[in-house]
Amino acid sequence: MSITMSWFVIYTRPQQEKKVAAGLTKIGVEAYCPIVTEVRQWSDRKKKIEVPLIKSYVFVKIIEKERNRVFEVPGVVRYLFWLGKAAEVKDQEIEQLRGYMSGNYQSVKVEQYKVGKIVTIDTGAFKNQSGEVIKVSTKCITVYLEQLGAMVTISL
């Protein structure tokens, strides 16, 4: 019987992703936290800083029965769950993400829909219409299109 290692997603405390990844590596757990470089503007200067691509998430490759080892590292909150079990990521998806990250993609950004955010619809009957996000659920968002005076629910 062979022991298979799988990639799982762990949720970390805010702004602890790099520290958690380093701590996991230190205890012998393979961890991956994709990092992008952003230019941030302060009142007196601009500075390039490295930030996680996906905030509060770190990918770990570990044997199923040793999953609790990640909690030895400060900053780990919990595993991300999907359909009642720990979310598993395929090896090819991690490799694909690593491939994207090895190129110099300056425009890579992961965003979540938030109430109050202005979005532009890019497909369907309301293509190129902008509106404010009014409601967010797991499967859809509701957007108020001021130009049309209508609320539209969009499936994700």
Side-chain angles (χ1 to χ4, degrees), residues 12-123:
T12 68
R13 289 189 182 133
Q15 301 177 355
Q16 296 289 304
E17 303 90 348
K18 292 191 283 185
K19 288 179 183 175
V20 166
L24 288 166
T25 302
K26 195 173 184 178
I27 65 166
V29 175
E30 186 177 350
Y32 177 56
C33 179
I35 302 291
V36 293
T37 302
E38 289 184 356
V39 176
R40 294 275 173 96
Q41 174 75 47
W42 277 265
S43 61
D44 61 337
R45 68 192 185 292
K46 286 185 180 179
K47 186 176 181 181
K48 286 185 179 181
I49 60 168
E50 291 185 339
V51 295
L53 175 65
I54 307 169
K55 295 184 184 338
S56 294
Y57 288 176
V58 174
F59 301 98
V60 292
K61 190 169 189 175
I62 197 164
I63 301 168
E64 176 78 30
K65 67 180 183 178
E66 293 185 1
R67 278 194 2 206
N68 286 339
R69 286 190 61 210
V70 301
F71 297 108
E72 296 172 17
V73 177
V76 174
V77 176
R78 62 180 168 81
Y79 277 94
L80 183 69
F81 280 80
W82 176 255
L83 299 175
K85 63 179 198 170
E88 222 174 294
V89 181
K90 296 176 185 169
D91 286 340
Q92 72 186 50
E93 292 172 329
I94 295 292
E95 290 309 313
Q96 199 172 25
L97 181 58
R98 282 184 168 156
Y100 289 138
M101 298 307 294
S102 66
N104 285 327
Y105 294 101
Q106 299 298 323
S107 62
V108 175
K109 198 169 215 177
V110 175
E111 293 187 52
Q112 294 180 337
Y113 294 107
K114 293 182 182 174
V115 173
K117 183 173 182 160
I118 304 298
V119 296
T120 301
I121 301 170
D122 53 5
T123 59

